[in-house]
Amino acid sequence: MQIVNATAPADLPARLDAQGWALMTPIQLAHWIGTTMPELDDLHASWADLPPDTHLKDGGRYRFRRHGCYVLDNASGELTQTPHRAHWQPVEYNALHGGIERWFEPIAPAVAQAPAWRSLLAHLGQVLARDGAVPTWYIEAHQFRVDTQGGIGRPTPEGAHRDGVDYVAVILLERHDIKGGETRVFEAQGPHGVRFTLSDPWSLLLLDDTRVIHESTPIQPLGEHGWRDTLVLTFRRKGFQGPAQN
């Protein structure tokens, strides 16, 4: 496993250009978006109330999630939550679950309207917009809990993949009594890659989805029951993915 250096918010674009991914520490993240660690931890409480993911084609019952969609106007910074919609990916990006509309329960209003939540989405979107080069982001937010009640949990059952978007943010919220869950990032068109384990709550991994593929290895319990909580945000400039648009 490799040791990787964190990136200051002002240096994110340059680091993404250089290697296609970047890491930010929890303290950097909280300071940057103008919130505190207790406010972020208040958001995490909602991960205990995620419904089961009923779309897993491997027959597993290890994943729980909620989903929401937003539009960010990068000129004004205005973030608008859209009417609830299905999550959809083409099969070329998700061979296991692509090509179908997957409906998940919406993110709870108390989370979706929290200032720390909205600031997180807006700050990430505006830094990724590269000084206005992208006028609008179409953002999907996914709350995930992967647990080990069945003995093993798979954060990425589809394997190493891209999401068919411009950027992906993976934020770790908790590792509870588990082993595994190693993050792996590889060049999509090259031989190089890195592997490391996100361990600190609210650590942020940013990925240029056009340049790298990523995966997280399965998790196993260290005791009777373990889980791994993450927040995944995707940013796409061409609108939300759907059966009529990919």
Side-chain angles (χ1 to χ4, degrees), residues 146-157:
V146 175
D147 82 9
T148 61
Q149 286 192 27
I152 191 169
R154 294 178 173 83
T156 52

Side-chain angles (χ1 to χ4, degrees), residues 56-99:
L56 289 170
K57 288 189 174 180
D58 63 3
R61 298 182 179 180
Y62 51 80
R63 190 159 74 177
F64 302 79
R65 68 193 293 181
R66 290 183 183 269
H67 172 242
C69 294
Y70 300 81
V71 175
L72 176 65
D73 183 313
N74 287 310
S76 67
E78 182 178 359
L79 181 71
T80 303
Q81 187 172 9
T82 72
H84 196 52
R85 57 182 291 126
H87 176 54
W88 189 90
Q89 293 174 290
V91 292
E92 55 263 42
Y93 289 109
N94 190 330
L96 186 61
H97 298 117

Side-chain angles (χ1 to χ4, degrees), residues 82-149:
T82 72
H84 196 52
R85 57 182 291 126
H87 176 54
W88 189 90
Q89 293 174 290
V91 292
E92 55 263 42
Y93 289 109
N94 190 330
L96 186 61
H97 298 117
I100 60 172
E101 290 188 329
R102 288 183 284 165
W103 286 93
F104 303 107
E105 290 297 314
I107 292 168
V111 175
Q113 296 167 11
W117 175 272
R118 296 181 64 84
S119 182
L120 172 64
L121 272 60
H123 275 76
L124 283 173
Q126 291 195 294
V127 77
L128 294 173
R130 307 297 185 97
D131 296 323
V134 181
T136 305
W137 282 127
Y138 297 84
I139 304 170
E140 294 194 50
H142 305 264
Q143 294 176 287
F144 286 108
R145 171 166 288 185
V146 175
D147 82 9
T148 61
Q149 286 192 27

Side-chain angles (χ1 to χ4, degrees), residues 148 174-179 220-222 225-229:
T148 61
E174 184 181 17
R175 290 174 55 92
H176 177 80
D177 212 13
I178 60 168
K179 61 181 178 180
Q220 294 177 281
L222 291 173
H225 182 207
W227 61 80
R228 180 177 184 263
D229 289 349

Side-chain angles (χ1 to χ4, degrees), residues 1 5 39 46 58 69 87 127 143 154 185 200 232 238 240:
M1 185 172 66
N5 295 322
E39 288 174 312
S46 66
D58 63 3
C69 294
H87 176 54
V127 77
Q143 294 176 287
R154 294 178 173 83
V185 182
D200 295 329
V232 175
K238 293 183 179 180
F240 296 113

Side-chain angles (χ1 to χ4, degrees), residues 18-29:
Q19 62 186 25
W21 60 273
L23 280 174
M24 188 185 295
T25 68
I27 296 300
Q28 285 176 319
L29 177 64

